[in-house]
Amino acid sequence: MSTAYWITNVRLESGYRKENDKVVATDTEVAHLLIEDGRIAQIVSGAAPQTELPMKDASGLLALPSFRDMHIHIDKTYYGGPWKAVTPVKNILGRLEEESQLMPKLLPTAQERAEKMLELLLSAGSTHIRSHCNIDPYIGLKNLEATMAALETFSGRLHCEVVAFPQQGLLRSNQVENIRQALKMGATYVGGVDPATVDQNIEKSLATIFELAVEANAPIDVHLHDPDHLGVFTFKRLAKMTEEAGWQGRVTISHANSLADISLEEAGDVAEMLAGLGISITSTVPVNRGTIPIPLLHEKGVSVSLGDDSITDHWSPFGQGDSLEKAGRLAERFRMQDERSLSQALGFITGGKTPLDKEGNRMWPNVGDEADIVFVHASSAAEAVARRAKRQAVMFRGNVVSGAL
C-alpha cells in the first residue's frame, strides 16, 4: 500500500552567494517534497502542488540530512537516573577496575537508560547510531541483551549498528568466545581496545580481532587511545592486517589519539596509508587533549565521522547527545568560520552529505534519497552548525519520529 504524502514549504539550499569571488551567504528556495514509501519521490519548486494526497506544512523550516552519532555507549550511562560526577582514577586500568564493580550494579536499569539515551539522540536529529556495547567477564552478554531490547523499542525510528566491545580487553579478560556469541545475538561489528596498553600484545590482539571479523563476515571498530608512536605503530599493524584480510573499507579506528601527538607531516603519511585501505576514523573532537588533525585527514581522503562517546557516565560527566554540537565544536576548533566551511562541517555528522558541495551545487536532497531529514530553525547549514540550531522535527524513512511539523 502506498504511503505517499507531500511536505510543503520546505526550505532548501540552492547555491552560494558570492561577492568579489568570495562566498558571503547561502541562497535558499522554498520547495515541496513528495514522500513515498520512505523515500523522496519528487522535489517541486514554486507553488504547492494541487493534489488529494495528505500534506504536512514545513512552514519554511530548513531541511538538512539527518545526523549520525558514530561512537556512543548507550549501554552504560547515568543519563535518566540520579546525578553522579566522575570518581578520579590514575589511568585507564583504574577505570576498568571501577567498571568491574559498577557494571553489575547498573545492569538492572540498562535497558531503561539505553532507551532514554536513544530518545535524547533522536530528539537532537541522529537517526543513525553506532553504539559500543560492553562484553566483559562481570556482566557477560547481559548488556547486549539490554541494548538489543532497547533497540527493539525504537524499531522503525532509527538505525543502530552495535559493536561487540571487550572494554576490559579482548585477551586480558578472555572474551573471545563471548564476542563470537555476541555476533550471533545481533551485534554487527567486532570491537577491541588498545592492543598495546590493555591487551599488552599488539600482534595477537589485532590478529584475534580479524579472525573474529572474518569468521562472522563483520566489520571492525577498534578503540585506539595509545599515544605517540605506540599508537602509530598499532595503526600500521592494523593497516597491514586489513590488507591481508581483504577488509578494505570495513575497518574503523575510534579516537586515534596518537595522530594529535605527531607532526602534521607524519600524520599526513599515516592518513594516506589509511585512506588507501578505506580505514575510517571516528573522533569525539576532545577538548581535554590535543585534537587529531581532522581537516588534514579529510583532505587526504580519510572518512572521518564524529561521535559523543560518553554521556554523563563514570568516564565523563559531560556530553549532550547532540551531533550538531559536535559539528559546531569541530568548526570552532579548526576555525571553520566562513559560510562555506561551516556548511561543509555538516558532512562530518551526516555520512558526507551536505546540502551544497564546495562549488555550491546542490548535493542533497535528491529524488530517490531516503527521507531521513532534520527540520531546523536556521537560514542555512552554516548557521545551523554555528548556532546549533533548534530542531523542530526529525524524520526517519518518511515518518516523523521526534518533534512535529
Side-chain angles (χ1 to χ4, degrees), residues 88-110:
V89 295
K90 291 183 178 180
N91 51 38
I92 188 173
L93 297 180
R95 191 65 69 202
L96 297 185
E97 175 59 28
E98 179 189 31
E99 280 208 1
S100 70
Q101 305 296 318
L102 181 62
M103 297 310 293
K105 295 177 182 177
L106 291 176
L107 186 58
T109 59

Side-chain angles (χ1 to χ4, degrees), residues 218-237:
I220 292 168
D221 191 328
V222 183
H223 285 58
L224 292 180
H225 309 95
D226 286 334
D228 300 306
H229 290 89
L230 176 60
V232 172
F233 177 79
T234 306
F235 294 164
K236 292 178 178 178
R237 294 303 303 140

